[in-house]
């Protein structure tokens, strides 16, 4: 049954999260199926039941509405652009050529 399969993967995800303190399951050969399941849940989150969406939000796979709003409602303020400062012209000292100095 599909519900049993979802529950199986969710339980595995809970165990992974408890052990490693995150839900970024790597594709390492041992857990490729769990990694792919998480990716699929994210892709089809609009079609999941509210109960499953909430479960995935609680564990950290899907963003909560609040975290999503915080992330996207107040975009960071861009830094002020500095005015381009033109270098001041360098005053050349009135240097006389060595030949002019000798003529004096």
């Amino acid at each position: 049954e599909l519900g049993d399969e979802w529950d199986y993967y969710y339980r595995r995800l809970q165990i992974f999260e408890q052990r490693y303190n995150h839900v970024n399951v790597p594709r390492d050969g041992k857990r490729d199926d769990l990694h792919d399941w998480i990716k699929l849940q994210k892709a089809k989150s609009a079609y999941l039941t509210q109960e499953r969406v909430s479960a995935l939000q609680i564990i950290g796979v899907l963003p909560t509405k609040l975290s999503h709003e915080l992330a996207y409602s107040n975009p960071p303020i861009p830094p002020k652009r500095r005015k381009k400062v033109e270098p001041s012209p360098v005053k050349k000292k009135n240097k006389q050529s060595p030949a002019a100095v000798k003529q004096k």
Side-chain angles (χ1 to χ4, degrees):
E1 190 176 317
L2 290 177
D4 292 341
E5 182 182 351
W6 197 93
D7 292 337
Y8 165 77
Y9 281 107
Y10 188 77
R11 182 68 189 130
R12 282 185 58 200
L13 180 60
Q14 287 177 315
I15 293 166
F16 180 91
E17 194 274 334
Q18 288 171 356
R19 180 175 292 160
Y20 298 105
N21 225 16
H22 65 83
V23 292
N24 299 319
V25 179
R27 288 190 61 87
D28 59 3
K30 294 189 309 187
R31 300 180 199 94
D32 291 353
D33 60 333
L34 183 56
H35 173 90
D36 293 341
W37 180 82
I38 293 169
K39 193 173 176 181
L40 181 63
Q41 301 312 301
K42 289 178 180 182
K44 67 177 192 175
S45 64
Y47 305 102
L48 296 174
T49 65
Q50 185 57 50
E51 180 182 345
R52 289 182 178 180
V53 168
S54 295
L56 292 170
Q57 288 173 330
I58 289 168
I59 202 165
V61 169
L62 295 177
T64 61
K65 184 176 180 184
L66 179 61
S67 68
H68 184 77
E69 287 174 356
L70 289 175
Y72 295 103
S73 66
N74 297 318
I77 299 171
K80 291 183 180 179
R81 294 182 182 230
R82 292 184 174 183
K83 291 181 180 178
K84 191 172 183 180
V85 178
E86 296 292 328
S88 59
V90 179
K91 293 183 179 179
K92 293 184 180 180
K93 292 183 179 178
N94 250 346
K95 287 190 175 181
Q96 296 178 343
S97 66
V101 173
K102 288 181 181 178
Q103 289 179 354
K104 285 188 179 180

